[in-house]
Amino acid sequence: MGIVSEEEAIDELQKLINQVEGPLKKTFERVHQGYLRENLSRFLKARDWNVSKAHTMLLDCLRWRVDSEIDSILSKPIVPSELYRDVRDSQLIGMSGYTREGLPVFAIGVGLSTFDKASVHYYVQSHIQINEYRDRVLLSSMSKKNGRPITTCVKVLDMTGLKLSALSQIKLVTIISTIDDLNYPEKTNTYYVVNAPYIFSACWKVVKPLLHERTTKKVHVLSGSGKDELLKIMDYTSLPHFCRRGSSGSSHHTQSVDCFSVDHPFHQQLYSYVKHHYETQGQGEPAKQGSFHVGFPEPGADGVQIVKTIESEMHNLENCNGLGKPVDDRTVSP
């Protein structure tokens, strides 16, 4: 097949995907939320605009969604509420607001997430619920509000507290990132890394050459808390709490402003939404139940190489000093 334009590639993929029927067609409607071409382009970008590869990727995604019953995950609350609080306390993620262009701002406490208060399935369930709520509710609402498709978000990654012990969490992190890569491709417009210690600098230096240029262009390593740079794209009220005061980290703020907290409005709205949809099925108060199991995809060869490289570098750093010391932009190169 000769070289085609991006618009022609979208047209070709649309013709192919129009042939799907039944459950696959239904779940694809959940995926694109009325913005068909924008979502087809995500899968094409993820496969370098190769229509055949993008088609295979999209079909695999739709089959995963059907097999794992992803369409119903927003009616599967994590209960009891104490367990949900434990998940939130150990898997630090939240939404702090929106950029001036209307993109949701997701904050992730990479360094201080411990993933040690629940089974892996609950963390994966929680992650997918946030993805689905973002896509079906937040992005859909902002698209209607702004009168144009808004299909991506920005993520601010707080590296405060990142230590060599994070190596023990790499399997779970790999599962989550692989689910995102294969089933939610190109949903993040930009990654902003803040409060980065030396250990991040060392790992980033060896991992960056392994990443696709498309990915590395999205990653911006900011000096300190990144407040000044982030204020160029969002108002102060949308800044994650760990960016608001110098180089303060995730643990130095009260729950009233902590977007990771289960008591933050975002998490309260998400949990209420899931619980409401459970109850509208005609069921009563949700009882304790097993976690929502989904298929864990195997990382590709590139993903395996990246994990091995990180593991190797972190082992090399085991005897180094000052791993918790923040680095400035002379130490970490974007």
Side-chain angles (χ1 to χ4, degrees):
M1 184 176 67
I3 297 175
V4 298
S5 69
E6 292 182 1
E7 288 299 316
E8 289 172 328
I10 295 173
D11 288 340
E12 287 189 30
L13 183 55
Q14 184 170 345
K15 289 177 183 177
L16 291 172
I17 210 65
N18 281 343
Q19 298 173 22
V20 301
E21 298 178 346
L24 295 184
K25 180 178 181 180
K26 182 178 180 181
T27 198
F28 184 51
E29 291 170 355
R30 292 275 195 185
V31 171
H32 67 67
Q33 293 289 311
Y35 298 104
L36 177 61
R37 295 182 70 81
E38 287 79 9
N39 280 277
L40 291 175
S41 72
R42 292 194 295 108
F43 287 85
L44 284 161
K45 286 178 185 176
R47 291 297 178 262
D48 296 321
W49 295 93
N50 182 302
V51 175
S52 177
K53 291 181 179 179
H55 182 230
T56 298
M57 181 188 191
L58 181 50
L59 287 179
D60 287 344
C61 166
L62 299 182
R63 293 187 186 107
W64 171 80
R65 292 182 63 89
V66 171
D67 293 344
S68 301
E69 301 180 348
I70 299 300
D71 286 354
S72 66
I73 199 169
L74 288 180
S75 59
K76 304 285 186 181
I78 295 175
V79 290
S81 59
E82 291 78 10
L83 176 59
Y84 184 66
R85 183 176 291 274
D86 285 343
V87 171
R88 292 278 58 82
D89 288 344
S90 52
Q91 181 184 36
L92 303 183
I93 182 171
M95 199 198 81
S96 59
Y98 295 88
T99 69
R100 294 191 186 96
E101 293 183 347
L103 277 63
V105 178
F106 281 89
I108 302 174
V110 177
L112 294 177
S113 291
T114 56
F115 300 104
D116 60 354
K117 294 186 177 182
S119 74
V120 59
H121 294 283
Y122 283 116
Y123 290 117
V124 172
Q125 176 181 350
S126 171
H127 181 81
I128 295 175
Q129 284 180 332
I130 290 173
N131 279 358
E132 292 292 312
Y133 186 76
R134 173 197 66 197
D135 296 350
R136 297 191 217 171
V137 179
L138 299 180
L139 292 176
S140 178
S141 173
M142 290 305 292
S143 295
K144 292 174 183 175
K145 179 179 179 181
N146 287 272
R148 58 183 173 83
I150 295 179
T151 58
T152 60
C153 66
V154 300
K155 292 181 179 177
V156 185
L157 312 181
D158 181 22
M159 296 294 168
T160 298
L162 186 65
K163 296 180 176 65
L164 290 172
S165 57
L167 196 57
S168 63
Q169 303 157 12
I170 199 163
K171 182 177 180 181
L172 174 55
V173 173
T174 300
I175 289 171
I176 289 174
S177 63
T178 303
I179 287 173
D180 281 355
D181 290 344
L182 296 180
N183 302 292
Y184 302 93
E186 300 297 318
K187 293 300 294 188
T188 302
N189 182 281
T190 312
Y191 297 90
Y192 295 100
V193 178
V194 302
N195 298 323
Y198 174 73
I199 189 173
F200 172 81
S201 170
C203 289
W204 178 238
K205 187 180 296 184
V206 295
V207 167
K208 185 177 179 181
L210 304 178
L211 298 175
H212 195 289
E213 182 183 6
R214 182 183 66 253
T215 300
T216 59
K217 285 182 176 180
K218 293 181 180 182
V219 179
H220 297 261
V221 183
L222 306 183
S223 176
S225 69
K227 181 174 71 174
D228 293 341
E229 287 298 313
L230 292 173
L231 285 175
K232 295 177 181 178
I233 64 165
M234 68 185 75
D235 295 334
Y236 183 84
T237 53
S238 289
L239 278 179
H241 58 278
F242 49 79
C243 297
R244 294 189 179 192
R245 205 180 295 164
S247 59
S248 298
S250 306
S251 62
H252 301 295
H253 299 267
T254 62
Q255 286 194 343
S256 61
V257 297
D258 185 345
C259 61
F260 297 149
S261 169
V262 70
D263 298 313
H264 188 275
F266 167 73
H267 286 301
Q268 288 293 302
Q269 291 163 11
L270 169 58
Y271 196 74
S272 295
Y273 182 93
V274 175
K275 189 176 178 181
H276 170 73
H277 280 261
Y278 173 88
E279 292 170 347
T280 55
Q281 295 177 345
Q283 304 181 65
E285 190 73 16
K288 176 101 171 65
Q289 56 187 325
S291 54
F292 188 93
H293 286 229
V294 303
F296 294 163
E298 290 294 326
D302 290 345
V304 171
Q305 184 182 5
I306 290 170
V307 170
K308 288 183 177 179
T309 301
I310 293 174
E311 289 176 333
S312 174
E313 185 63 22
M314 292 182 81
H315 284 309
N316 290 338
L317 292 169
E318 280 182 330
N319 295 320
C320 292
N321 295 320
L323 292 181
K325 184 184 297 182
V327 292
D328 57 27
D329 7 3
R330 294 170 298 172
T331 310
V332 182
S333 300

